[in-house]
Amino acid sequence: MLATLGAQGAARQPALAGRIALAMGDKELAATYAAAAEADPGVPAMQFDLVQLYRELGDETAAQAAVKRIAASLDDLSAAELKPFVLMAAELKDGPLALAAADRLVALDGGPAALALRARALAVAGRAQEALDILAALDLSSEVAEDAYLGALKALGRRERLQAHLYRRLIDMSVSPGRRLSLIYALKESGPPFAAGSARVASSLV
């Protein structure tokens, strides 16, 4: 894969090259590319790759620092750039930053995806009930909205409601295999299952 990117491509996009190197199992080379990306962060998409590279390397501190650097130019980001940025800040548990970016996003684009991302940010910022209020008007079959909904329920400790939603979705055969796998992971992370719902899911898979 690195051969396909080429030496010049790797030099222009070191963070992407680092992610490819890490996927190939070369952690040392990935770290070298991360250092090169630090020296010349580039456009927002390249900076996003650097954040992801640090996360994949297991360096959450460096990832958080990289996100903070992007945040310094938050007002310069487009709506398309703000969407992944909100998710990154939320995944790093930086509620205030995720919410600031989400508010900026909604000001530029008040569509359902932007509102769902704002709900995701609210949940991370400790305002999960407000997140649920927003999500009540959205289509939860959207992955962005559903992830925000699950995050809000988890933040509020509403495990039974969270698991009931997951059970309903897992027995819905229209759910894609990839999404089904994500929901199974979410169910596993939610704690001990409720027997009735667990039995329904098991019976639907026989």
Side-chain angles (χ1 to χ4, degrees), residues 47-52 55 60 62-72 74 77 81-105 117-126:
Q47 295 177 55
F48 297 160
D49 271 326
L50 180 58
V51 174
Q52 292 303 109
R55 297 201 71 199
E60 293 291 298
Q64 290 168 349
V67 163
K68 295 288 189 187
R69 286 196 297 273
I70 300 170
L74 195 64
L77 298 181
E81 292 165 339
L82 282 164
K83 289 176 181 178
F85 184 78
V86 173
L87 285 174
M88 285 180 188
E91 288 168 0
L92 289 167
K93 309 300 181 187
D94 192 330
L97 181 54
L99 189 53
D103 286 342
R104 170 72 177 158
L105 172 60
L117 285 169
R118 186 170 189 273
R120 177 80 176 266
L122 282 167
V124 175

Side-chain angles (χ1 to χ4, degrees), residues 1-204:
M1 287 185 287
L2 276 175
T4 302
L5 184 61
Q8 289 186 340
R12 288 194 301 267
Q13 301 184 65
L16 175 59
R19 295 186 70 188
I20 294 172
L22 192 59
M24 296 171 65
D26 195 333
K27 188 172 183 178
E28 183 176 347
L29 181 58
T32 298
Y33 278 124
E38 281 280 0
D40 184 15
V43 299
M46 294 166 64
Q47 295 177 55
F48 297 160
D49 271 326
L50 180 58
V51 174
Q52 292 303 109
L53 174 56
Y54 278 134
R55 297 201 71 199
E56 290 159 9
L57 285 166
D59 192 340
E60 293 291 298
T61 300
Q64 290 168 349
V67 163
K68 295 288 189 187
R69 286 196 297 273
I70 300 170
S73 302
L74 195 64
D75 289 345
D76 296 329
L77 298 181
S78 67
E81 292 165 339
L82 282 164
K83 289 176 181 178
F85 184 78
V86 173
L87 285 174
M88 285 180 188
E91 288 168 0
L92 289 167
K93 309 300 181 187
D94 192 330
L97 181 54
L99 189 53
D103 286 342
R104 170 72 177 158
L105 172 60
V106 170
L108 295 174
D109 171 11
L115 292 173
L117 285 169
R118 186 170 189 273
R120 177 80 176 266
L122 282 167
V124 175
R127 296 162 59 182
Q129 185 55 57
E130 291 178 59
L132 289 182
D133 293 342
I134 291 173
L135 293 164
L138 301 181
D139 178 7
L140 294 182
S141 66
S142 154
E143 289 188 17
V144 175
E146 185 171 45
D147 285 343
Y149 179 69
L150 296 175
L153 292 178
K154 184 175 181 180
L156 290 168
R158 297 181 185 175
R159 188 180 65 171
E160 186 168 0
R161 183 173 166 185
L162 185 155
Q163 292 185 342
H165 173 85
L166 290 170
Y167 293 140
R168 284 195 300 272
R169 291 281 283 152
L170 286 168
I171 62 175
D172 179 353
M173 300 313 293
S174 68
V175 176
S176 70
R179 185 58 181 169
R180 187 179 298 275
L181 184 60
S182 296
L183 296 175
I184 289 172
Y185 282 131
L187 181 59
K188 180 180 178 182
E189 292 174 356
S190 70
F194 290 85
S198 181
R200 286 180 63 200
V201 174
S203 65
S204 73

